Amino acid sequence: ATLPLPAKAGKASATTSGNGGNITVKSQGAAEDAGSIEAKGGPQGGDGGSAEVSAPQVAFGGTVDTTAPQGKTGSFVLDPADIDICSLLCGTSALTIDIALLTTDFTVTATNSITVNAAISSAATNNLFLDAPNTTLNAGISLPNAKLEFTNSVGTNTGTVSSASGATISANEIDLLGDYATVNVAGAVSATSSIQMLGNVATVNFAGQVNAGTLHFHEPLTASTISVSNAANVIPILSFVGGETV
C-alpha cells in the first residue's frame, strides 16, 4: 500500500526561541510526499530541527524548511531502499532537491542504491549527503558553496561510487567517507577547497580532470590501487594518511 502524505505533511517549528522539532514519517510499503515539511528554529534563537521520510519506495516532491534565522540550519533525510533522481516526471526529481537545498541540509540514505540521472545544482550553502553502498552519477552535481559527501553507512565494502564521463562533479568540498570496493570517477571533478578520501577503498580511479586545492587520501593504502592520471589535472597538494605530500 502507498502512504500519501497531506499537503501539510508536518510542522514542528519553534515560535519564538528554541530549536525546531523532529518530524518522522515512516511506511513499510511506499510513501508519496508532495506536501511541505517545516521544522524551523525560533526567530529569536535556536537551531533548525530535523525531518525524515522513510519507506522502501519513496516518491518525494514536497518542500522542506529547517532554517534558523539565529542558528544553524537543520537536516532532512530521505530514506528509501533504492532511488532514481531524475527529471521532472519521476518520483523524486533533481529540481526537488535543488529547491530543498535552499532551506535544509539534504541526505539521501538508501539501503541499496542511489542513481542520479538528472543534474543537481544549487548555489546555497546547505550540504548534500549521498549515503548508499552503490552510488551512480549519470548526470552532474554542482554545489559551489557547499559540501558534497558520499558515504556508506550500511557498512559493506563491496559497493561502488561511479560517475559517467559527462557527469561533472563540483563543490566547495567533496568527501568520500564510505568503504567501497571501487571509486571510479570518469568525469571531471573539482573542489574549491579539497577532495578527501576518508574511507577504505580498494580501487580508486580519477580518469577525468581533477581540479582541487588538496587531494587527500586518509586511509592506509597498503591494499589500494590508485590512479590519478589525467594530464590536465590541477592538484597543488596531494597528501596521504601519514602526512606525506607530493
Side-chain angles (χ1 to χ4, degrees):
T2 298
L3 174 65
L5 303 182
K8 288 289 184 180
K11 187 172 183 179
S13 296
T15 55
T16 53
S17 63
N19 298 333
N22 302 318
I23 299 170
T24 301
V25 177
K26 292 191 175 184
S27 171
Q28 294 184 350
E32 296 179 357
D33 183 2
S36 61
I37 296 174
E38 184 181 294
K40 299 192 294 184
Q44 297 179 16
D47 296 332
S50 63
E52 177 181 354
V53 176
S54 177
Q57 299 177 16
V58 176
F60 181 74
T63 60
V64 186
D65 190 346
T66 64
T67 54
Q70 306 298 327
K72 294 171 56 179
T73 298
S75 61
F76 174 69
V77 175
L78 195 62
D79 184 10
D82 299 274
I83 189 167
D84 179 4
I85 299 167
C86 48
S87 56
L88 292 174
L89 300 177
C90 64
T92 302
S93 73
L95 180 60
T96 295
I97 296 176
D98 295 347
I99 294 171
L101 283 169
L102 296 172
T103 50
T104 193
D105 281 349
F106 199 107
T107 298
V108 181
T109 298
T111 308
N112 300 319
S113 67
I114 298 169
T115 304
V116 178
N117 282 321
I120 297 170
S121 179
S122 172
T125 58
N126 297 316
N127 304 312
L128 176 63
F129 305 88
L130 301 179
D131 179 0
N134 296 284
T135 299
T136 302
L137 306 184
N138 296 318
I141 297 177
S142 176
L143 305 172
N145 301 308
K147 178 171 70 174
L148 172 62
E149 181 177 296
F150 299 90
T151 190
N152 175 16
S153 62
V154 173
T156 62
N157 61 359
T158 58
T160 63
V161 173
S162 64
S163 71
S165 59
T168 299
I169 306 170
S170 63
N172 181 56
E173 176 183 332
I174 300 172
D175 293 343
L176 288 99
L177 297 181
D179 294 343
Y180 303 97
T182 303
V183 171
N184 184 31
V185 182
V189 56
S190 64
T192 306
S193 60
S194 64
I195 300 171
Q196 301 190 86
M197 303 289 298
L198 303 174
N200 190 354
V201 181
T203 302
V204 180
N205 179 32
F206 287 97
Q209 181 183 0
V210 178
N211 190 332
T214 300
L215 176 58
H216 179 60
F217 296 91
H218 191 268
E219 286 293 320
L221 306 175
T222 305
S224 299
T225 301
I226 299 172
S227 174
V228 187
S229 57
N230 194 293
N233 288 339
V234 180
I235 309 169
I237 300 174
L238 179 62
S239 68
F240 299 92
V241 63
E244 303 91 343
T245 60
V246 178

